[in-house]
Amino acid sequence: MQLQIPALAWHTTGDGVWQRTFHLRGQGIRVRVEADPGGLQFSFRTGTEEELLRDLLTATFRNGAQVGAMALVGHPALRTLRRHHQGTILLAGPPFETLVLAVLAQARPVATVRQVFPRLAAECGGLTPRRLSALPLPRLAQLVRPLGVVKASRLHATASILSRRGVTIFDRLIADSDSQALNYLLPSLPGVGTHTAAIVMAIVNDDPDTVPVDQHLMRVAYRLGLTDHDGGYTKPGRRRVAADLLAYGPDLARVHPLIQQVAHDTCTVQTPDCRRCFLVESCRHAARTASGNSS
């Protein structure tokens, strides 16, 4: 069984093993996970926090649900996506940690986020609103500098707001699946726009009615033939694309990162590398391009 984890808090050692450090009640615990024929194998050393860590891992891995088991039907490209990523596990994550990761990742390379995040989490002893707001702003700016110093002030302000409202308010809304309240709360936080809010809703709240639509997702979805729009990155255009994608079923919301990954890997703005794309056989744009070249 192949193991791929599109989650910024984890990193690979290069031999099929993924790992990260969880901070539980002040204790940093490194967790390694790899796949073998019997399923996922976890290794870690802990004492009194073992039960808490196991519960956290169960929630994070959603019981090992894989893309290959998802109902991605209704279009050849979706079936190809499911087959290509059949061993991929789309992780959940702690609410506030996921929010921080989403802000850090705004317009920044994945590799840089993976470098910055562990240092930030270790400095705080685990990311919570209270701990992040207690971190001196100059130190926070130093830690996130590779991703843009302006993000330090936004994260600090967000953490302070959530701390003043009660440390548990964010977690409670997630636990209650209160999408309406979250849709109101998230965009009101500094540095959290509608797209970042949608990412948090889709990943943490597992909201089947939310697709984070950006220019990359719009481009790939249109070229594949999953949607039709006028090409403008407008609010009506984003709503149209989201509605078209969700018409293929709720699992589409969960696999949106895999579609965006195609945008970065091969389906670029100016010169898409169709010959190297695994979706070429089910892509409307590739078919049109091939037809034009042969005429």
Side-chain angles (χ1 to χ4, degrees):
M1 181 175 64
Q2 182 184 16
L3 178 63
Q4 298 176 17
I5 306 176
L8 298 179
W10 294 77
H11 64 277
T12 181
T13 62
D15 56 0
V17 178
W18 292 78
Q19 63 184 29
R20 66 158 294 179
T21 298
F22 287 96
H23 299 271
L24 302 177
R25 297 172 182 167
Q27 180 184 3
I29 304 171
R30 177 172 292 182
V31 175
R32 289 164 53 92
V33 60
E34 58 186 315
D36 66 18
L40 298 179
Q41 300 298 321
F42 297 88
S43 59
F44 52 84
R45 292 182 178 180
T46 181
T48 58
E49 307 302 334
E50 181 170 350
E51 183 176 354
L52 179 60
L53 179 59
R54 289 186 181 278
D55 290 343
L56 181 57
L57 288 172
T58 298
T60 299
F61 280 82
R62 291 189 174 118
N63 296 317
Q66 296 180 325
V67 172
M70 295 180 180
L72 299 174
V73 295
H75 192 283
L78 296 180
R79 293 191 289 272
T80 303
L81 185 77
R82 180 179 61 188
R83 184 171 60 253
H84 183 81
H85 287 289
Q86 59 183 334
T88 299
I89 297 174
L90 299 179
L91 301 186
F96 185 68
E97 177 183 287
T98 301
L99 174 60
V100 171
L101 280 167
V103 173
L104 291 176
Q106 291 168 347
R108 292 297 183 270
V110 166
T112 308
V113 178
R114 283 198 165 106
Q115 292 173 358
V116 169
F117 175 79
R119 296 195 290 266
L120 176 59
E123 185 83 10
C124 294
L127 284 170
T128 66
R130 179 178 58 80
R131 290 174 178 171
L132 186 57
S133 63
L135 192 66
L137 184 55
R139 177 55 178 159
L140 178 56
Q142 183 181 21
L143 288 166
V144 305
R145 184 178 300 277
L147 298 171
V149 177
V150 67
K151 294 186 179 184
S153 59
R154 293 171 178 172
L155 286 173
H156 200 269
T158 288
S160 299
I161 290 171
L162 293 178
S163 294
R164 288 196 300 269
R165 294 187 180 186
V167 175
T168 62
I169 182 173
F170 193 33
D171 290 351
R172 187 175 68 250
L173 292 177
I174 293 290
D176 293 343
S177 298
D178 194 338
S179 298
Q180 184 174 358
L182 279 169
N183 275 322
Y184 174 79
L185 170 65
L186 289 170
S188 72
L189 299 172
V192 182
T194 55
H195 181 252
T196 300
I199 291 174
V200 175
M201 293 283 289
I203 294 176
V204 181
N205 208 33
D206 209 10
D207 190 340
D209 299 319
T210 300
V211 178
V213 177
D214 62 4
Q215 296 99 322
H216 302 297
L217 187 64
M218 290 183 75
R219 180 175 70 253
V220 177
Y222 175 77
R223 287 176 175 173
L224 289 173
L226 293 169
T227 182
D228 285 298
H229 59 86
D230 60 6
Y233 189 62
T234 62
K235 183 177 291 187
R238 294 195 298 271
R239 288 176 176 170
R240 165 70 183 274
V241 172
D244 287 347
L245 292 178
L246 289 172
Y248 291 102
D251 281 339
L252 199 292
R254 296 180 62 183
V255 301
H256 81 270
L258 301 180
I259 301 176
Q260 289 174 318
Q261 183 177 321
V262 173
H264 296 289
D265 291 346
T266 56
C267 199
T268 53
V269 177
Q270 298 296 335
T271 55
D273 192 351
C274 297
R275 291 176 299 177
R276 198 167 57 86
C277 182
F278 69 91
L279 290 168
V280 64
E281 296 298 330
S282 51
C283 177
R284 176 175 63 181
H285 176 80
R288 289 175 176 174
T289 300
S291 175
N293 291 336
S294 63
S295 60

